[in-house]
């Protein structure tokens, strides 16, 4: 008989054999009472300490709001060879201390006032019975009672006050997102009489410069002077005013109602900014007059009012009304009649 059969045979002849644990269960050590468990005055003293921490947390949260308005943005603090922005350092210090005091108060509350008796139980299956769920609910309610959250009003009120005040800086600091855009999203620098220029050479465009099927990236003539004044404003203006100019056989164009005089001999001008998430559009398919956004494949039919024929974009590309000035150059009749780029909640 093989050796691996022996334990089974022994179990059959002598019954189940109890195997001793390699390390005996030491059990739970005797509970040691804390000073706050036996001395009500010590418990009250700790309660005041915790409430003071929560109260100071609220004060520092308010202090961060005051510092935001009171300290100039360009003020500096100098510590020997080190220096830093006074406004930022004060905000960080106040908020850091507020969060630290809330955490320290919570730890002091848990270590000194909440019930700290250790318990153990056998591991149970992951699925809970209805009786176990009821026991869990009762245990939770018991934990709330034992924590003193409902009984110790001073701690509860100071904690709720600190947490409420800590949310105030988040509201105040929203101001750092910048001024409200107002009507800036509705308008571009295009206006009546502004010439259409090549985006690369900055040369004004005449109708004779374009052949049927050609697409040109263009911009308003008043864009270049802005670059010399402010590079940031230049980028913002260009991001909204960039256009594509295309020439299509007039017989192939389906003009939307009200736009009969927006083109010049089959030359149409549309915003270059995709109406989905604002990517620049320039992938042009000459035979179908379709222009494709490279980001998410929104496709627009330039011969049919730049309407969407595929992809996630929800609106056609805005069209810029064109005319010809006295010198024969393409000019805008007006600004775009609708906001360019992605939709936003105030867009009417």
């Amino acid at each position: 008989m093989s050796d691996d059969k022996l334990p089974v045979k022994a179990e059959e002849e002598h019954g189940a054999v109890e195997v001793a644990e390699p390390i005996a269960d030491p059990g739970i050590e005797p509970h040691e009472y804390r000073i706050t468990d036996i001395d009500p005055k010590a418990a009250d003293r700790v309660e005041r300490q915790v409430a003071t921490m929560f109260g100071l947390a609220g004060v520092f949260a308010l202090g961060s709001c005051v510092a935001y308005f009171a300290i100039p943005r360009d003020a500096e603090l100098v510590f020997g060879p080190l220096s830093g922005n006074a406004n930022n350092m004060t905000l960080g210090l106040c908020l850091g201390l507020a969060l630290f005091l809330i955490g320290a108060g919570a730890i002091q509350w848990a270590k000194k006032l909440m019930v700290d008796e250790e318990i153990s139980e056998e591991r149970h299956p992951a699925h809970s019975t209805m009786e176990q769920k009821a026991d869990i609910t009762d245990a939770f309610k018991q934990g709330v009672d034992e924590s003193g959250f409902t009984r110790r009003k001073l701690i509860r009120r100071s904690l709720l006050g600190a947490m409420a005040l800590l949310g105030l800086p988040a509201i105040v600091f929203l101001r750092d997102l910048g001024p409200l855009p107002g009507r800036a999203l509705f308008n571009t620098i295009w206006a009546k009489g502004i010439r259409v220029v090549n985006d690369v050479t900055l040369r004004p465009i005449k109708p004779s410069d374009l052949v049927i099927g050609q697409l040109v990236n263009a911009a308003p003539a008043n864009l270049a002077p802005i670059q010399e004044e402010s590079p940031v404003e230049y980028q913002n203006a260009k991001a909204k005013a960039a256009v594509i100019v295309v020439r299509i056989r007039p017989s192939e164009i389906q003009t939307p109602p009200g736009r009969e005089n927006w083109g010049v001999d089959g030359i149409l001008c549309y915003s270059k900014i995709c109406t989905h998430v604002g990517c620049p559009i320039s992938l042009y398919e000459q035979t179908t007059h379709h222009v494709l956004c490279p980001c998410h494949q929104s496709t627009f039919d330039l011969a049919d009012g730049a309407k969407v024929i595929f992809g996630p974009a929800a609106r056609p590309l805005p069209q810029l009304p064109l005319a010809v000035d006295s010198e024969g150059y393409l000019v805008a009749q007006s600004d775009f009649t609708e906001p360019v780029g992605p939709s936003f909640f105030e867009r009417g």
Side-chain angles (χ1 to χ4, degrees):
M1 181 179 294
S2 61
D3 292 340
D4 60 350
K5 298 290 186 178
L6 291 177
V8 178
K9 184 176 181 181
E11 185 175 353
E12 292 176 353
E13 293 179 355
H14 304 289
V17 178
E18 183 176 353
V19 180
E21 293 288 342
I23 300 176
D25 184 0
I28 299 177
E29 296 181 359
H31 177 67
E32 295 183 5
Y33 288 95
R34 304 163 298 183
I35 185 64
T36 53
D37 295 329
I38 58 178
D39 186 355
K41 292 184 178 179
D44 292 340
R45 185 166 57 251
V46 172
E47 180 179 4
R48 290 193 294 271
Q49 293 173 357
V50 174
T52 300
M53 293 183 190
F54 290 158
L56 288 175
V59 171
F60 280 116
L62 284 175
S64 66
C65 297
V66 174
Y68 179 86
F69 294 103
I71 301 177
R73 296 301 179 89
D74 56 352
E76 288 192 0
L77 288 178
V78 180
F79 302 95
L82 304 177
S83 63
N85 183 278
N87 190 283
N88 291 342
M89 293 181 66
T90 305
L91 294 181
L93 183 63
C94 289
L95 288 178
L97 288 174
L99 292 172
F100 171 78
L101 288 171
I102 288 178
I107 293 174
Q108 182 77 338
W109 181 9
K111 289 179 65 68
K112 298 295 183 65
L113 295 177
M114 293 185 183
V115 175
D116 70 334
E117 294 183 1
E118 296 182 355
I119 61 174
S120 66
E121 62 179 353
E122 296 296 327
R123 179 174 295 179
H124 55 77
H127 175 71
S128 300
T129 63
M130 295 302 297
E131 292 79 8
Q132 290 172 328
K133 293 180 179 179
D135 291 341
I136 293 173
T137 303
D138 294 338
F140 176 79
K141 294 179 180 178
Q142 180 182 353
V144 173
D145 294 336
E146 292 177 347
S147 70
F149 186 79
T150 56
R151 178 166 49 88
R152 299 186 182 275
K153 297 181 180 180
L154 182 60
I155 288 182
R156 183 178 72 249
R157 292 171 180 173
S158 59
L159 173 61
L160 294 177
M163 296 299 292
L165 291 173
L166 194 61
L168 187 60
I171 299 175
V172 174
F173 296 167
L174 288 175
R175 184 183 179 188
D176 262 359
L177 295 177
L180 295 175
R183 300 290 299 179
L185 296 178
F186 290 85
N187 305 311
T188 72
I189 62 173
W190 284 105
K192 183 177 180 179
I194 298 297
R195 286 182 174 177
V196 182
V197 300
N198 187 289
D199 188 35
V200 178
T201 64
L202 302 182
R203 292 179 55 187
I205 301 174
K206 290 184 176 182
S208 58
D209 295 334
L210 300 174
V211 298
I212 293 178
Q214 184 178 4
L215 182 143
V216 174
N217 293 308
N222 58 346
L223 181 63
I226 300 178
Q227 187 174 16
E228 301 176 359
E229 299 175 1
S230 171
V232 175
E233 292 297 327
Y234 169 78
Q235 293 296 336
N236 291 335
K238 186 175 182 179
K240 295 192 301 180
V243 293
I244 51 178
V245 181
V246 63
R247 187 162 197 169
I248 304 173
R249 295 183 185 277
S251 59
E252 299 176 356
I253 297 176
Q254 300 180 44
T255 304
R259 302 187 186 180
E260 290 78 5
N261 64 338
W262 283 23
V264 178
D265 296 331
I267 299 175
L268 305 174
C269 183
Y270 295 98
S271 171
K272 185 182 173 69
I273 311 304
C274 180
T275 56
H276 178 219
V277 294
C279 296
I281 296 175
S282 61
L283 301 177
Y284 181 56
E285 190 177 55
Q286 185 181 114
T287 57
T288 61
H289 314 304
H290 295 169
V291 66
L292 175 72
C293 175
C295 292
H296 305 97
Q297 287 71 57
S298 293
T299 307
F300 306 86
D301 187 354
L302 299 186
D304 191 8
K307 72 176 184 180
V308 183
I309 60 174
F310 180 79
R315 297 188 293 118
L317 296 175
Q319 184 175 355
L320 183 71
L322 292 180
V324 177
D325 64 11
S326 59
E327 298 182 28
Y329 292 104
L330 292 175
V331 296
Q333 295 185 32
S334 66
D335 193 2
F336 288 99
T337 58
E338 60 180 314
V340 302
S343 299
F344 50 95
F345 69 96
E346 289 182 339
R347 179 180 183 272

